[in-house]
Amino acid sequence: MSPRVLVSVVTYNSGPYLKSCIESLKEQTYKDFSISLWDNASTDDSAGIIAYYRNYAGAVHFSDRNLGFCAAHNRQIASADGDYVLVLNPDVILDSRFL
């Protein structure tokens, strides 16, 4: 059975914020969700952070070029098979009860 919620995070040079964002997802009290991380050819440490959390995310994609925020999210949304999608900026820290 698919997770009910897909959390879509698209990054581009989001290294200073990304770890806190993913950690806030790990702390969610609601657990029926998966995370899809898309990196838009970052030149900072975003790819390394994503690689570190690779086993926690349901899907990871490293683009060879910057497709843009909307195009990358649209690709992740198209792959969703749950009931809901949360489009999340990588500089957001969620309250543990957000989902």
Side-chain angles (χ1 to χ4, degrees):
M1 185 168 176
S2 301
R4 186 137 195 230
V5 179
L6 171 68
V7 179
S8 175
V9 180
V10 172
T11 67
Y12 179 72
N13 293 336
S14 305
Y17 315 103
L18 189 55
K19 182 178 178 186
S20 297
C21 178
I22 296 170
E23 286 294 328
S24 76
L25 288 166
K26 288 178 72 173
E27 295 173 5
Q28 292 300 299
T29 56
Y30 182 79
K31 300 295 184 187
D32 193 11
F33 70 96
S34 66
I35 302 169
S36 186
L37 300 170
W38 182 292
D39 184 69
N40 264 330
S42 293
T43 57
D44 69 353
D45 62 343
S46 295
I49 294 167
I50 291 171
Y52 178 81
Y53 287 102
R54 177 177 231 124
N55 292 334
Y56 182 69
V60 171
H61 183 83
F62 295 100
S63 181
D64 60 353
R65 63 187 176 91
N66 187 345
L67 298 179
F69 183 80
C70 294
H73 275 298
N74 285 341
R75 289 182 183 192
Q76 295 198 117
I77 291 167
S79 72
D81 54 3
D83 296 325
Y84 303 100
V85 176
L86 172 61
V87 173
L88 189 63
N89 286 0
D91 62 348
V92 172
I93 298 173
L94 298 176
D95 179 271
S96 63
R97 297 164 292 160
F98 183 84
L99 290 179

